[in-house]
Amino acid sequence: PCGVCDVCRRHTAPSAAACRQAVLQLLSSRRLSPHDVCSLLEAKGYADVMDVVRGMLDTGAVSLDRNLLLSVS
């Protein structure tokens, strides 16, 4: 695996549960845009971060404020 392409990153990426924990940890100290959350976590090797964030929004684990910044609900 090259570790760079999407296919290889999915095979070596941390699990969705680990990604959820990382999102919560990031947002515990500050509010961030969805783009910033994705950029920070993808740089750390997490895959499908936006899908995880969408799921967390759907379940109410995180929320968007009127400035479109994510925070822990």
Side-chain angles (χ1 to χ4, degrees):
C2 71
V4 178
C5 72
D6 289 344
V7 173
C8 292
R9 286 178 51 194
R10 280 197 179 97
H11 290 292
T12 60
S15 69
C19 187
R20 282 190 291 278
Q21 282 301 115
V23 169
L24 291 173
Q25 185 161 2
L26 264 180
L27 297 177
S28 67
S29 60
R30 60 186 171 183
R31 293 179 175 190
L32 294 168
S33 71
H35 180 268
D36 290 341
V37 170
C38 288
S39 295
L40 289 167
L41 293 181
E42 286 173 355
K44 292 181 178 184
Y46 291 91
D48 302 321
V49 179
M50 186 55 75
D51 291 336
V52 170
V53 170
R54 282 187 191 121
M56 293 176 78
L57 282 166
D58 289 344
T59 62
V62 297
S63 57
L64 278 173
D65 64 16
R66 63 182 171 177
N67 295 319
L68 301 180
L69 296 177
L70 290 166
S71 62
V72 178
S73 297

